[in-house]
Amino acid sequence: MDEKTLREAGVATHTGFPNSAIGAHTKQLDLTRALIKHPVATYIMRLDSDEWSALGMFSGDIVVIDRSLSPRSSDTIVWWQGDQFVMGPKRAVPLDTPTWGVVTSVIHQFRFKETR
């Protein structure tokens, strides 16, 4: 790849002493664009327990949920049960229970401080 193609892909190349002006033309990392494909149908929730640790999700993690996706058999799904949201693998969804959304991303924070 030539240097122009690398720059357009957001890759900065450096040789010798770094020049801060060289990296000025690269695209800034946009977490919204990276994590959310359907903004109108996407919700974000923070987990408040380690109930989903078997799925690699822990208390304090942020889950990104897309309501516009049709669930696949390998997806983690959110559904409404009684008066609360429930999350788990698609195979755990009770029969005839409509899914609320599909978990598309999990943001795991190593250091989480709640501001209250």
Side-chain angles (χ1 to χ4, degrees), residues 66-79 88-91 93 97-103:
D66 191 329
R67 295 199 64 203
S68 70
L69 298 176
S70 295
R72 297 178 183 160
S73 60
S74 61
D75 285 335
T76 299
I77 305 299
V78 176
W79 67 93
K90 183 171 180 347
R91 67 182 177 280
V93 179
T97 301
T99 59
W100 189 80
V102 176
V103 175

Side-chain angles (χ1 to χ4, degrees), residues 50-71:
D50 287 326
E51 183 178 345
W52 302 280
S53 61
L55 298 172
M57 296 181 265
F58 305 92
S59 183
D61 286 359
I62 297 169
V63 291
V64 180
I65 303 159
D66 191 329
R67 295 199 64 203
S68 70
L69 298 176
S70 295

